[in-house]
Amino acid sequence: MKQDMIAILDLGGENNSALAREIRALGVYSEIYAHDVSADFLKNAANLKGIILNGGPNNVVDGKEIDVDASVYEIGVPVASIGHKKAKCAEIASDELRSFVFGTCKCSANWNMENFIADQVELLKKQIGDKKVLLALSGGVDSSVVAALLIKAIGKQLVCVHVNHGLLRKGEPEQVIKVFREQMGATLIYSDSVDRFLDKLAGVSDPEQKRKIIGAEFIRVFEEEARKLDGIDFLAQGTIYPDIVESGTKTNKTVKSHHNVGGLPDDLKFELVEPLKYLFKDEVRACGKALGLPDDMVYRQPFPGPGLGVRCLGAITRDRLEAVRESDAILREEFAKAGLQGKVWQYFTLIPDTKSVGVKDNARSYEWPVVIRAVNTVDAMTATIEHIDWPILDKITNRIITEVKGVNRVCYDLTPKPTGTIEWE
């Protein structure tokens, strides 16, 4: 069943994602488009029932105030406006959204995961045909849901590649092999590429450059693995909507490039398969549940594509990277013991490229600080801080400064999003 759709045209609004989520929460699908999307494109959009113009403070681009093309008003669907004073239609307030969606646009509340999955399976079969797909399987939520969706759509035509780039959390490569190869019966290729990645990243301190190196090197690894196989024409990725939004639009400056959005090489030899690219994080989890994935996989800790590479701040060194890995393992272990594993959305440690004076073994030390971050969020677009009881923090601190080599200080990050992103890089 094709879902009815409301299009949001970005005229400088700062709440495009929140508005799309609000419409989806009503059971109606919604997508965000640039202000200059063509009327012909919108006409061809499947089941388009209405358009919302979402204006705001970012409505000046290159010194000019932006507006939609006049032909958008002639498509034949209702057009409403939020914060856009020049719109040729009435303003719409948030509490009038339901009336606009269901009353004016006559939408049906048919946006749900079962229908989404059915549509994606149909689209994937049409796109892929009898060819093979290569998937970067990290074992995280996004790639796991992509794998399950592709298995449902094309079965054994899917080939999963797990790349150990040296930036994974403690024990993760072993866990991925156990879960996907042994328990799920997936075709899984394991690539030990630790030295290759760390050598490429040596001396690179700029976070954007690090992300792009990691993303490009991922593609190179896949290309090499694909050459060993026959008939690989597609590359699947776990790109989700916040990745696209945060990587920048015409009216929204880049927050950070994501490895699967901004880091792809120009000479990519595969056609991309990105079935989750219009889902928010909570929708990805709901999709995983609907596909029958186990809870411990669906609700697994979110983990960025560049892995610990963006938590070992600045130029990555192997000793500091290992300190991040060990301190993160301690944090996760203690959170689990304290019953916080399912309560806190994301928690991790990071180590900046700086040292501080301390005292260890009755002598002066000059070592790294570990920063703990623990946040709660629904869609990764905003986040609040988890207030951890002091005894728990005391225990974690004592374990880290005692057990992790090269560390003499532990800090707790109290910054919500905004102003701070969830990751530091």
Side-chain angles (χ1 to χ4, degrees):
M1 171 184 273
K2 297 294 184 184
Q3 291 90 9
D4 290 345
M5 197 257 281
I6 299 291
I8 297 170
L9 303 196
D10 178 12
L11 283 152
E14 294 181 317
N15 65 331
N16 294 303
S17 296
L19 181 59
R21 287 187 50 73
E22 190 175 351
I23 295 170
R24 292 187 190 187
L26 295 174
V28 177
Y29 184 60
S30 180
E31 279 187 21
I32 303 164
Y33 297 100
H35 69 281
D36 56 358
V37 63
S38 72
D40 286 339
F41 178 88
L42 291 173
K43 281 180 185 177
N44 294 324
N47 285 32
L48 179 68
K49 296 293 186 179
I51 297 171
I52 294 178
L53 310 179
N54 193 32
N58 301 318
N59 66 336
V60 176
V61 176
D62 296 329
K64 297 179 180 178
E65 188 173 339
I66 59 175
D67 203 346
V68 296
D69 188 273
S71 57
V72 167
Y73 296 97
E74 301 168 6
I75 291 175
V77 298
V79 180
S81 169
I82 297 178
H84 184 58
K85 295 180 175 58
K86 289 190 174 182
K88 303 171 186 175
C89 48
E91 293 279 328
I92 181 172
S94 181
D95 58 358
E96 297 172 325
L97 194 59
R98 176 181 289 273
S99 176
F100 176 73
V101 169
F102 294 114
T104 306
C105 298
K106 311 296 184 187
C107 288
S108 298
N110 55 12
W111 164 244
N112 56 57
M113 279 304 126
E114 286 72 20
N115 288 341
F116 171 81
I117 290 169
D119 284 350
Q120 285 302 316
V121 166
E122 181 183 335
L123 290 170
L124 288 167
K125 286 180 177 179
K126 184 177 179 180
Q127 179 186 8
I128 297 164
D130 60 355
K131 302 294 178 62
K132 291 181 181 177
V133 180
L134 200 61
L135 170 65
L137 182 55
S138 68
V141 178
D142 301 336
S143 65
S144 297
V145 174
V146 169
L149 194 52
L150 283 167
I151 289 169
K152 185 177 180 66
I154 61 170
K156 292 295 184 181
Q157 292 168 241
L158 174 66
V159 179
C160 301
V161 176
H162 178 62
V163 178
N164 183 1
H165 51 19
L167 305 171
L168 295 170
R169 290 173 290 200
K170 189 174 182 178
E172 282 191 325
E174 298 82 2
Q175 184 187 39
V176 167
I177 292 171
K178 181 179 180 181
V179 170
F180 290 96
R181 181 183 285 169
E182 299 175 13
Q183 297 179 8
M184 295 185 67
T187 302
L188 177 64
I189 297 169
Y190 174 77
S191 174
D192 185 348
S193 305
V194 175
D195 290 337
R196 174 173 175 168
F197 275 82
L198 296 186
D199 288 347
K200 284 268 187 182
L201 291 164
V204 178
S205 59
D206 180 73
E208 287 293 291
Q209 190 179 356
K210 285 199 296 187
R211 285 178 177 271
K212 291 183 178 181
I213 287 173
I214 294 167
E217 200 62 23
F218 252 104
I219 300 299
R220 299 306 176 207
V221 172
F222 293 141
E223 285 179 333
E224 292 171 15
E225 295 298 339
R227 281 195 289 269
K228 303 174 188 176
L229 304 164
D230 293 325
I232 299 289
D233 290 284
F234 296 91
L235 174 67
Q237 291 196 138
T239 308
I240 65 174
Y241 220 14
D243 296 342
I244 295 172
V245 173
E246 286 194 338
S247 290
T249 64
K250 293 177 182 178
T251 63
N252 180 30
K253 293 181 179 179
T254 300
V255 177
K256 58 187 176 186
S257 293
H258 287 259
H259 76 288
N260 48 3
V261 177
L264 298 176
D266 295 332
D267 59 346
L268 183 66
K269 294 182 174 63
F270 304 117
E271 182 179 336
L272 291 180
V273 175
E274 299 175 298
L276 306 181
K277 67 180 179 180
Y278 293 118
L279 293 188
F280 293 100
K281 194 72 179 190
D282 60 316
E283 294 171 333
V284 174
R285 296 186 194 280
C287 183
K289 287 284 288 181
L291 286 165
L293 289 176
D295 282 358
D296 59 353
M297 187 178 296
V298 171
Y299 297 105
R300 185 179 176 183
Q301 275 276 295
F303 196 52
L308 300 182
V310 293
R311 295 175 184 174
C312 186
L313 307 188
I316 298 170
T317 60
R318 294 185 185 233
D319 52 356
R320 191 155 53 90
L321 179 62
E322 196 57 31
V324 175
R325 197 181 337 265
E326 291 298 324
S327 61
D328 181 77
I330 290 171
L331 177 69
R332 288 190 289 137
E333 184 180 328
E334 292 302 327
F335 265 43
K337 289 179 182 177
L340 296 173
Q341 192 170 31
K343 180 184 175 186
V344 184
W345 188 80
Q346 187 172 15
Y347 43 95
F348 56 88
T349 65
L350 57 96
I351 299 183
D353 188 13
T354 186
K355 293 184 176 182
S356 68
V357 177
V359 178
K360 250 187 177 181
D361 300 324
N362 296 316
R364 179 185 183 274
S365 69
Y366 191 56
E367 297 178 310
W368 302 302
V370 166
V371 180
I372 296 172
R373 187 139 172 81
V375 298
N376 287 311
T377 183
V378 173
D379 57 14
M381 302 304 295
T382 61
T384 57
I385 300 303
E386 177 68 19
H387 297 164
I388 307 299
D389 292 338
W390 285 112
I392 299 172
L393 284 177
D394 286 342
K395 186 176 181 182
I396 293 168
T397 298
N398 289 333
R399 282 198 62 189
I400 289 175
I401 60 179
T402 302
E403 300 175 27
V404 181
K405 186 178 179 181
V407 170
N408 67 356
R409 194 179 294 269
V410 175
C411 306
Y412 193 71
D413 184 352
L414 295 171
T415 315
K417 177 182 181 180
T419 55
T421 53
I422 294 174
E423 301 287 343
W424 273 40
E425 284 191 343

